[in-house]
Amino acid sequence: MKNKSLGRVSDYELKLLRIFRTIAECGSFSVAESLLGMSRPAISQQMSDLEKRLGMRLCQRGRAGFSLTDEGREILQLSDTLFASVETFRQQVNQMHRQLRGTFNLGIINNLVTQPMMKLTHALEILRRQGPDIHISLTMTTPSEIERAVMEGRYHVGALPLISPLSGLDYLPLYEEKSSLYCSHTHPLFADGLGDDHSVLRQYDAIAPAERMTAETVRLHQLLNCTATASDREGIAFLILTGRFIGFLPDHYAAHWQEKGLMRALAPQQLHFTHTIALATRKGRQPDAILQLFLHSLHSDHQE
């Protein structure tokens, strides 16, 4: 395509960029059809129109499959900044009118819903009750992605284990989470458990988390023969339930399988660690009424 300068960005360009973002998230035109409510030829036409207006090829599509070009990946990243700015503008205007409207973006690690304290759940209930026009967007992802998204302003807040705090974020401790070493009911250690000799653990395959670990967690995993990794707790549970691996899980998450006799903790008095689950917000952030209401709701629940 010929080089060209982009003129005024109209509502139509914004519409085309939103379509492009949806396609990129879906990974194909066909998957995006149902989400966009458009036919594949119509989507293709819209993409061609956007590429003509920008003067660059954004994606490859055809028999070889769908993939973003280098320019497409850069435009996708720039569109994140653009729509974040639009959202910030809308929130600030709404704040002038003292109306709580807009999107509240929250990122959390998976499997916190079984945590009995339910601080986040209670705070979101208060937020919804006092701001019925607020759209809550909750994403479950890895701790590193949560911190990155909060730093970049894509998430207002993030809930994650407090491992090594980043200088650009503030952290509010929510509660302590204890994790123990588990095996499934089909694992050789299930019947007799684990004695005082923990060196036998090296005889069995184990799972290591793919994320950062504290010094205490590293020490415990060094006792194991870690031949597999998992990006999150659900992945660790999945591998444990094969009967071929042992691994650490939060006790509140493993309780479901333990009550059914499908898992057991191995030497839980010795082989366990504790993480602080904290809420991360960006330092130096702009005043935001929705975020302030959520933090106030969380503080009220914390006081209770």
Side-chain angles (χ1 to χ4, degrees), residues 30-271:
S30 58
V31 177
E33 283 184 85
S34 58
L35 286 178
L36 293 171
M38 300 169 60
S39 66
R40 201 176 311 181
I43 294 175
S44 181
Q45 180 59 49
Q46 299 276 39
M47 280 300 303
S48 296
D49 198 1
L50 177 60
E51 290 175 332
K52 288 178 182 177
R53 288 168 181 267
L54 296 178
M56 60 186 71
R57 188 78 167 175
L58 300 179
C59 61
Q60 305 292 345
R61 57 263 197 193
R63 293 183 178 179
F66 174 88
S67 64
L68 293 178
T69 62
D70 291 340
E71 291 83 1
R73 282 187 286 271
E74 189 166 353
I75 290 296
L76 186 63
Q77 187 174 358
L78 290 173
S79 71
D80 287 339
T81 304
L82 171 63
F83 287 115
S85 298
V86 171
E87 180 63 25
T88 298
F89 174 80
R90 182 171 68 169
Q91 289 176 353
Q92 290 177 345
V93 171
N94 287 337
Q95 192 170 351
M96 293 172 62
H97 292 284
R98 300 185 181 278
Q99 295 173 339
L100 290 176
R101 293 179 179 173
T103 299
F104 179 65
N105 297 302
L106 168 68
I108 66 173
I109 57 171
N110 67 345
N111 309 125
L112 286 187
V113 70
T114 54
Q115 227 300 331
M117 301 189 74
M118 298 183 69
K119 291 181 178 293
L120 294 173
T121 306
H122 293 157
L124 288 171
E125 186 276 327
I126 295 172
L127 181 70
R128 185 63 178 172
R129 174 160 32 93
Q130 297 189 16
D133 292 328
I134 297 171
H135 176 78
I136 297 173
S137 176
L138 190 151
T139 303
M140 303 182 74
T141 185
T142 61
S144 57
E145 171 57 22
I146 290 172
E147 288 177 320
R148 183 164 52 249
V150 173
M151 289 281 283
E152 295 173 355
R154 290 185 283 120
Y155 294 167
H156 293 91
V157 294
L160 70 162
L162 184 54
I163 305 298
S164 50
L166 301 182
S167 60
L169 298 177
D170 289 321
Y171 296 86
L172 171 66
L174 298 177
Y175 45 74
E176 299 298 303
E177 182 183 72
K178 179 173 172 285
S179 295
S180 302
L181 183 64
Y182 286 90
C183 71
S184 82
H185 67 294
T186 58
H187 194 276
L189 289 174
F190 186 85
D192 299 325
L194 187 65
D196 296 331
D197 183 12
H198 296 169
S199 64
V200 300
L201 290 173
R202 299 286 302 175
Q203 300 175 18
Y204 303 99
D205 291 329
I207 313 136
E211 290 294 326
R212 298 192 305 270
M213 294 187 281
T214 63
E216 178 190 17
T217 310
V218 170
R219 179 185 64 80
L220 287 171
H221 280 84
Q222 286 174 342
L223 300 174
L224 309 178
N225 177 30
C226 294
T227 58
T229 57
S231 63
D232 54 36
R233 300 129 174 260
E234 186 170 352
I236 293 174
F238 189 98
L239 290 174
I240 290 174
L241 289 169
T242 66
R244 307 294 298 183
F245 296 91
I246 56 177
F248 285 93
L249 286 176
D251 290 345
H252 66 84
Y253 180 50
H256 168 75
W257 292 288
Q258 197 166 20
E259 290 168 1
K260 292 186 174 183
L262 299 177
M263 281 189 190
R264 71 169 292 178
L266 300 170
Q269 299 302 319
Q270 296 83 32
L271 301 176

Side-chain angles (χ1 to χ4, degrees), residues 265-283:
L266 300 170
Q269 299 302 319
Q270 296 83 32
L271 301 176
H272 70 269
F273 59 86
T274 301
H275 279 160
T276 298
I277 301 298
L279 194 77
T281 55
R282 185 175 58 178
K283 287 183 178 178

